[in-house]
Amino acid sequence: MELRRWSVSELVKYIRGVFETDFRLQELELEGEVINLRIPASGHLYFNLRDANSQIACVMWSSERGLLAVPPTEGARIIATGLISIYEKTGQLQFYCRRIRLLGDGDLLYEYEKLKQQLFDEGVFDVERKLPIPEEARKVAIITSETGAALQDALNVFERRMPLAEIFLYPVLVQGEPAAEQIMRALAVVNQRTDIDLCLIVRGGGASEDLWAFNNPDLARLISVSRLPVITGIGHEIDFTLADFAADLRAATPTAAAELATPITITDYRTMLSAIASRMGDLVERRIDTSGYDLDFLKERLDRLSPEYVITAFQEQLAYMKIMLERNFQLCVVRLDSRIKEITGIIRNVDPHSVLKRGYAYVMTPDRRLISHAAQVKTDERLKIVFAASEIDVKVEGESHDEGN
Amino acid sequence: MMKVIDEMSFEEAMSELNLIVEKLESELTLGDSLDLFDRGQRLLDHCNRLIDAAKLRLTRESLDEREDGK
């Protein structure tokens, strides 16, 4: 009989299908002791669960871990909820954990989850309690170890992003028995200062036990009621301490905390300053442009008031009057002239000489009295006849023939 | 009375600058505009100088000394 020949991936896929169609393997609780615990940078948890005779590989995705702050410790006894499947790449059987519950007191994770629930119930983590982070915090208190890399990381960020800031370092122990107490005292002192804008509590990465000081419930409570906004940057991305939950803002690392403390950098300021410069320039330029009209108008008004303008105006008026005067004068002369001619004509018409020129003559006595009636003269009386340019003496011979004739 | 620019902090200079821009956006006489512009220019210079010269200051506080003082 011919055997069916499989490819590896076909077989692995088939086995995976077998597991995944068995409902008993798709939702189960598994009890055991955690050994060989690994947490790579991805944040996923890898460990084995074992009992007296067997062990099985387990994985818990970082997305499933959620707010599970402190991972289970080596040797912890837990109950994991999840499903069985095959990791196709290696063909390995794995238990995929969705939830982890610790068995027994004294375990850090158990303790942690208990405290977290308690503080949550107290309202220590309430979103409404969270203070806004100032955008331009100038005076920043940093509570951390004086010798740790965390401080240097944070200072480097401030130096690069916001060298206008002033840092007040409150050196404390960040692990061991007195750490929580010292951090709380520092935070209390910082809160008494009126000149500080923002407080950072930072610590570099370490084992979960090393971060335990930051799971102190009293520290979490103090952070939640802090008058000053608090940013925490404790451990690595995967570490969530109770202090982180209580903080107004939780940063993944000390470096990230310093970055969140400086949302506005000096580069932003340079940009703002040059924007202000050009905006001011634009506004003033526009103002000058619009006042160009005003200036012209004002200049015209001013010119009208100046003596020069007044004089010019008078001169113009004078010139006009002169022209008018000359014109009128000429008109008068013309009129007078014609009048004179008219009168001359009239006078000429009444001049007796002009009548004489037309051939008339008149008669006078020798003593030059004008004779206008025949009755005025007697026979033999001597008279003168006057012509236009000459006269003659004559003697009356006849008698007068009167009107009755 | 206006503050002497050289004595102003970066924040003070910055907030006055924003005020100046706001004023310049309103109706002003040409003379006032030019005065504000002149002051704005000097504030800008001051701010840029402060940024260029900025150096992070670090003060180490001692918790113990504070307690001794009480």
Side-chain angles (χ1 to χ4, degrees):
Chain A
M1 185 182 140
E2 283 268 327
L3 287 177
R4 189 191 194 291
R5 189 183 298 164
W6 299 74
S7 74
V8 174
S9 43
E10 276 172 343
L11 180 62
V12 171
K13 211 185 274 289
Y14 177 79
I15 297 171
R16 183 177 164 178
V18 171
F19 284 119
E20 291 185 352
T21 49
D22 185 338
F23 71 95
R24 280 165 301 189
L25 297 179
Q26 291 309 297
E27 179 78 31
L28 63 92
E29 283 190 347
L30 185 63
E31 183 181 337
E33 183 190 345
V34 174
I35 57 162
N36 205 9
L37 177 69
R38 282 126 32 229
I39 311 174
S42 59
H44 309 312
L45 292 186
Y46 297 98
F47 55 96
N48 286 9
L49 274 183
R50 75 166 177 198
D51 60 14
N53 302 311
S54 296
Q55 53 178 279
I56 187 170
C58 298
V59 61
M60 187 177 200
W61 304 128
S62 61
S63 56
E64 302 280 1
R65 276 184 66 193
L67 301 183
L68 177 73
V70 181
T73 50
E74 190 76 13
R77 287 187 61 232
I78 65 169
I79 296 174
T81 310
L83 59 89
I84 293 289
S85 187
I86 296 283
Y87 181 49
E88 281 188 32
K89 264 210 167 111
T90 58
Q92 192 185 7
L93 178 79
Q94 284 194 120
F95 185 70
Y96 293 83
C97 304
R98 279 207 319 278
R99 236 182 11 253
I100 289 177
R101 192 150 47 87
L102 282 153
L103 285 173
D105 278 342
D107 185 281
L108 284 181
L109 180 56
Y110 178 77
E111 188 77 1
Y112 168 87
E113 291 294 345
K114 209 173 67 184
L115 286 172
K116 192 172 87 176
Q117 188 60 48
Q118 189 183 327
L119 292 173
F120 180 85
D121 292 342
E122 283 176 32
V124 169
F125 306 148
D126 280 3
V127 177
E128 300 84 63
R129 296 182 94 145
K130 308 229 178 272
L131 303 171
I133 304 303
E135 285 192 325
E136 296 173 87
R138 281 293 175 273
K139 293 181 185 261
V140 180
I142 300 184
I143 299 174
T144 190
S145 160
E146 199 170 6
T147 54
L151 174 63
Q152 207 45 57
D153 289 349
L155 290 179
N156 288 343
V157 172
F158 275 104
E159 177 68 52
R160 174 168 51 83
R161 287 171 64 93
M162 188 41 69
L164 290 165
E166 191 172 357
I167 307 297
F168 299 89
L169 168 66
Y170 285 83
V172 292
L173 289 176
V174 290
Q175 71 185 72
E177 193 55 34
E181 182 62 34
Q182 285 188 10
I183 295 166
M184 280 190 274
R185 202 194 315 154
L187 184 55
V189 169
V190 169
N191 258 290
Q192 280 164 18
R193 292 183 64 158
T194 52
D195 58 335
I196 301 285
D197 304 314
L198 176 66
C199 183
L200 264 59
I201 301 176
V202 295
R203 189 214 190 279
S208 11
E209 292 89 347
D210 294 340
L211 303 181
W212 190 249
F214 296 92
N215 288 323
N216 183 301
D218 289 333
L219 174 60
R221 291 187 185 103
L222 192 64
I223 289 173
S224 76
V225 298
S226 170
R227 186 182 58 80
L228 287 171
V230 174
I231 300 178
T232 53
I234 296 156
H236 294 307
E237 180 63 58
I238 55 164
D239 302 309
F240 279 85
T241 66
L242 298 180
D244 286 320
F245 288 118
D248 298 299
L249 188 60
R250 180 257 176 186
T253 60
T255 299
E259 279 166 359
L260 292 172
T262 52
I264 293 179
T265 68
I266 54 163
T267 310
D268 296 328
Y269 279 139
R270 284 187 211 282
T271 311
M272 280 184 225
L273 287 170
S274 73
I276 288 174
S278 61
R279 177 86 182 122
M280 275 198 331
D282 287 350
L283 285 169
V284 169
E285 209 169 294
R286 199 196 302 164
R287 184 69 190 85
I288 291 171
D289 282 350
T290 54
S291 50
Y293 302 110
D294 296 352
L295 278 181
D296 290 345
F297 174 69
L298 285 172
K299 188 168 181 297
E300 207 182 299
R301 272 181 59 187
L302 194 65
D303 284 349
R304 229 175 283 164
L305 293 171
S306 80
E308 197 188 348
Y309 179 86
V310 174
I311 291 170
T312 310
F314 274 130
Q315 280 174 342
E316 278 171 4
Q317 207 174 343
L318 216 57
Y320 173 74
M321 285 166 80
K322 197 173 157 214
I323 289 166
M324 290 310 287
L325 202 63
E326 279 171 356
R327 190 179 299 165
N328 285 345
F329 180 73
Q330 273 172 4
L331 247 143
C332 284
V333 170
V334 169
R335 245 180 249 156
L336 272 176
D337 195 47
S338 65
R339 183 77 184 128
I340 288 168
K341 282 189 178 130
E342 194 183 334
I343 290 170
T344 309
I346 291 167
I347 290 173
R348 194 170 292 147
N349 285 345
V350 297
D351 181 0
H353 288 285
S354 65
V355 179
L356 297 185
K357 275 179 188 160
R358 279 180 275 157
Y360 292 90
Y362 59 90
V363 180
M364 289 193 307
T365 60
D367 54 349
R368 301 198 84 84
R369 281 184 298 111
L370 198 64
I371 304 295
S372 50
H373 298 294
Q376 286 177 281
V377 299
K378 292 174 216 97
T379 308
D380 292 329
E381 194 175 340
R382 290 192 176 269
L383 296 172
K384 271 182 193 288
I385 294 171
V386 179
F387 300 99
S390 55
E391 49 185 68
I392 185 167
D393 294 337
V394 295
K395 191 173 156 186
V396 178
E397 288 187 344
E399 294 211 0
S400 67
H401 307 285
D402 232 335
E403 289 90 313
N405 218 357
Chain B
M1 189 65 200
M2 278 192 285
K3 274 197 87 165
V4 180
I5 287 177
D6 283 343
E7 292 171 6
M8 288 173 98
S9 73
F10 181 82
E11 293 72 31
E12 287 172 324
M14 201 71 179
S15 79
E16 192 181 331
L17 269 174
N18 284 317
L19 216 71
I20 284 177
V21 171
E22 215 170 282
K23 279 188 192 162
L24 283 174
E25 280 166 346
S26 64
E27 289 293 310
L28 282 178
T29 65
L30 183 60
D32 286 348
S33 288
L34 292 174
D35 286 348
L36 279 174
F37 180 73
D38 179 57
R39 184 160 172 88
Q41 287 296 326
R42 286 184 294 127
L43 285 166
L44 278 171
D45 289 345
H46 182 61
C47 284
N48 280 313
R49 268 199 308 276
L50 285 178
I51 284 184
D52 290 339
K55 185 114 186 60
L56 188 69
R57 284 165 296 167
L58 174 65
T59 312
R60 183 190 185 281
E61 305 285 351
S62 171
L63 286 172
D64 300 332
E65 277 168 31
R66 275 176 189 277
E67 286 214 325
D68 290 346
K70 278 179 189 169

